[in-house]
Amino acid sequence: MPEPVRNTIERLDRPSAYYLGRNKKRKFNRDHVGREDRERTPEDTEDPLKDATTLYVGNLSFYTTEEQIHELFAKCGEIKRLVMGLDRFNKTPCGFCFVEYYNHQDALDCMKYIGGTKLDERIIRTDLDPGFQEGRQYGRGKSGGQVRDEYRDEYDPGRGGYGRAIAEERLKEEEEYGRGR
C-alpha cells in the first residue's frame, strides 16, 4: 500500500492546539469503563471549527481600541460582532478580543491575511474559535487580566509594563532595600 501524501502546509481551519488540549480526554480517566472511549481519535469526533465564524485575536496592546480592530478586520468581510477582552476587576482592555463574521470563509480569509500582521506595533495572533459565550470576555489571571501577563519578567509598554507578579516583587524589594540600586 503506498504511503499517504502529506501536505507541506497546514490547513487554516484546523483546530488550535489550545482547543485540542482543552478537550482531550485524560489518559488515565477511570470514569470511562469501555475501551472504545479511550480508542477514539480526534478524527472520529465532529470538528466544531469546520464552520466557525468567530476568531480569537491575541497579543493586542492594552491601548488598542475597538475602532482600530474593526477597521482592520472589516477588510476581510462584514463583522457581525466584536467583543473586547476585559480585565475581570478593572473592566479595562487586557490584550485580546473576539471577532465574529457572518460566514466561515471571511474568518478563514482573516486568519490568512491578517494573522501575523502588526497592529499598534505588536504582531497579532488569530485563531478560529468555536464561538463566543458570555463570560469569556474576562481575563482568567489571578489579578483579573490574562494569565500570560501575570508572570512576564520583561518590560512591555504595550501590555502595561512588567507582569503583575514581577511588579509586586519589585515593589517589595524596593521597600525592603530602598530605591538606590
Side-chain angles (χ1 to χ4, degrees):
M1 180 173 190
E3 193 172 311
V5 177
R6 291 177 41 103
N7 292 331
T8 56
I9 59 172
E10 295 181 16
R11 293 177 29 203
L12 288 174
D13 60 347
R14 73 188 187 287
S16 68
Y18 166 76
Y19 187 76
L20 286 175
R22 194 182 78 191
N23 291 325
K24 190 187 307 180
K25 292 191 189 228
R26 300 290 177 225
K27 188 175 184 179
F28 300 108
N29 188 353
R30 292 189 175 100
D31 293 339
H32 300 290
V33 179
R35 284 184 66 122
E36 63 277 353
D37 286 340
R38 281 181 290 215
E39 292 174 359
R40 195 176 288 170
T41 61
E43 290 83 25
D44 294 343
T45 59
E46 181 67 28
D47 183 8
L49 300 178
K50 73 174 182 147
D51 295 322
T53 59
T54 305
L55 288 177
Y56 166 84
V57 181
N59 200 32
L60 294 171
S61 168
F62 288 3
Y63 307 106
T64 302
T65 63
E66 282 187 50
E67 290 80 19
Q68 289 174 295
I69 295 168
H70 195 280
E71 181 181 342
L72 178 64
F73 284 80
K75 293 178 181 178
C76 289
E78 190 176 354
I79 294 175
K80 184 177 185 180
R81 178 168 64 162
L82 188 136
V83 180
M84 291 293 289
L86 300 174
D87 183 297
R88 189 173 353 129
F89 304 119
N90 302 331
K91 306 298 186 256
T92 57
C94 68
F96 70 96
C97 73
F98 295 95
V99 178
E100 188 175 352
Y101 286 98
Y102 282 99
N103 62 53
H104 180 65
Q105 189 58 48
D106 289 346
L108 290 179
D109 289 345
C110 182
M111 281 184 60
K112 183 176 180 181
Y113 298 117
I114 294 181
T117 61
K118 277 191 172 186
L119 178 63
D120 271 354
E121 300 301 316
R122 301 187 63 81
I123 296 174
I124 58 174
R125 198 181 118 235
T126 58
D127 207 356
L128 281 176
D129 192 81
F132 174 76
Q133 297 165 352
E134 192 61 37
R136 288 189 62 204
Q137 74 266 33
Y138 299 115
R140 296 178 297 171
K142 285 187 243 173
S143 60
Q146 289 193 58
V147 175
R148 66 177 278 221
D149 291 324
E150 299 279 327
Y151 302 103
R152 184 181 59 248
D153 57 358
E154 73 277 354
Y155 185 77
D156 188 349
R159 292 186 74 88
Y162 288 103
R164 291 185 176 145
I166 303 299
E168 287 174 11
E169 279 181 31
R170 290 174 57 93
L171 282 173
K172 287 179 187 175
E173 286 176 7
E174 285 178 1
E175 289 173 4
E176 188 174 329
Y177 299 113
R179 291 187 173 264
R181 284 194 194 190

